[in-house]
Structure formats: structure tokens, C-alpha cells
């Protein structure tokens, strides 16, 4: 199983099976702070399982470039994982469906400025891949002592290209 993936624009509808696109869209849910701030409320379903808690970490990732080789995906069975870019660098998001513990039907998405993602618990995904420049991210994910990482290495890698 190998092949070529074309990175598509990241949209909430296309990404819904894998997680949430977190972005300002439409009118705010409420106006706060003496009318000076619009709150776009509860934009991601965070899920940390029964044996963990939410934690905030900072990631500093090296730049990736297209075409991009995907030889491994991973998943976190005990918790969701949200990535909030702070450096404005677009990111490549690779996700896959699960077929009995094996990742299948890989998809590639390209984020736009102002977009963040939340990967649902147990979703197969590629590594953090800021495109064209290094990227810094706030990551909200599960902190706990039980194992929360599964990796799958492909015999033949996939190659992601631009749309």
C-alpha cells in the first residue's frame, strides 16, 4: 500500500471524520469583555479518557516541504490532540481511517492562516508538519501514565503533493 496523496484545503466538513477544525467563522456566539471581544465558543471536542487530564505543551517543529514523504502514522487511543499554530505557518495534516487496527484511506489537508485542528481520540495521523518554515504550536492533549501512542510504519511510503 503506497501511493500519491494530493493535499486538499482544510475544511470543517472534509475533516469532520477525523476531528475538528478550530477557527473563527461566522458571528461570535457571545460578546464579552465590555463589548470588545467576540467569543467563538466550544470549537473542539476534547477527550482525555478516564485515566488522564488535559495538558498544554509547546511544540517547536522543523520545516517540511512538498513533496512530503509519509512513511509512518500514529494515533493516541487515550486522548484527543489539538494543535494551535502560533507562528502563522501552514501545516500539512495527514489522517487515515482505521480498519481493524490498520490505517487505510489516507487523506492530506493543508491548513490556512487562522486554522487549528483537534484530532479525535484514536485517529491515525501523520507527524506535525509545518510547511516551508519552522512552526511553533500550542498543543492541548492528554497527560497520563498509561500508554497513549501507537505507530504504524508503511512498507512503502506515501508521497504528498500540492493540489
Amino acid at each position: 500500500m503506497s501511493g500519491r496523496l494530493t493535499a486538499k484545503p482544510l475544511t470543517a466538513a472534509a475533516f469532520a471524520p477525523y476531528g475538528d477544525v478550530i477557527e473563527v467563522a461566522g458571528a461570535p456566539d457571545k460578546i464579552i469583555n465590555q463589548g470588545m471581544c467576540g467569543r467563538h465558543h466550544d470549537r473542539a471536542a476534547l477527550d482525555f479518557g478516564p485515566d488522564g487530564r488535559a495538558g498544554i505543551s509547546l511544540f517547536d517543529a522543523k520545516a517540511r516541504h512538498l513533496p512530503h514523504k509519509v512513511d509512518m502514522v500514529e494515533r493516541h487511543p487515550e486522548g484527543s490532540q489539538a494543535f494551535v499554530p502560533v507562528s502563522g505557518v501552514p501545516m500539512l495534516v495527514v489522517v487515515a481511517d482505521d480498519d481493524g487496527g490498520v490505517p487505510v484511506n489516507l487523506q492530506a489537508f493543508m491548513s490556512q492562516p487562522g486554522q487549528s485542528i483537534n484530532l479525535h481520540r484514536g485517529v491515525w495521523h501523520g507527524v506535525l508538519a509545518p510547511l516551508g518554515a519552522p512552526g511553533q504550536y500550542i498543543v492541548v492533549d492528554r497527560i497520563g501514565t498509561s500508554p497513549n501512542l501507537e505507530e504504524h510504519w508503511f512498507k512503502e511510503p506515501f508521497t504528498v503533493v500540492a493540489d
Side-chain angles (χ1 to χ4, degrees):
M1 173 168 73
S2 68
R4 195 171 175 103
L5 301 172
T6 302
K8 303 176 278 196
L10 180 64
T11 66
F15 196 69
Y18 311 104
D20 310 298
V21 175
I22 306 167
E23 63 187 332
V24 172
D29 298 297
K30 49 174 99 169
I31 304 298
I32 59 173
N33 296 338
Q34 300 170 316
M36 300 299 286
C37 181
R39 179 175 174 149
H40 297 262
H41 185 69
D42 198 18
R43 296 294 166 138
L46 303 177
D47 177 6
F48 303 114
D51 190 26
R53 64 175 177 80
I56 296 175
S57 302
L58 301 175
F59 285 24
D60 191 7
K62 293 182 179 181
R64 307 294 179 119
H65 303 278
L66 295 178
H68 174 71
K69 182 174 85 170
V70 178
D71 55 2
M72 184 271 294
V73 291
E74 62 185 38
R75 67 179 177 178
H76 308 285
E78 296 296 322
S80 58
Q81 195 172 42
F83 294 87
V84 180
V86 295
S87 56
V89 175
M91 63 181 155
L92 178 66
V93 182
V94 174
V95 290
D97 297 323
D98 180 73
D99 184 9
V102 177
V104 296
N105 305 323
L106 274 72
Q107 304 272 331
F109 298 95
M110 184 96 59
S111 73
Q112 300 300 312
Q115 290 183 315
S116 302
I117 62 162
N118 177 56
L119 295 162
H120 289 165
R121 177 165 39 157
V123 167
W124 290 109
H125 62 88
V127 298
L128 182 56
L131 287 174
Q136 291 79 42
Y137 299 84
I138 296 169
V139 178
V140 181
D141 64 355
R142 178 188 172 277
I143 306 297
T145 57
S146 60
N148 189 34
L149 174 64
E150 295 176 14
E151 294 180 343
H152 179 87
W153 290 84
F154 297 108
K155 289 180 183 166
E156 295 182 37
F158 291 82
T159 300
V160 180
V161 297
D163 188 14

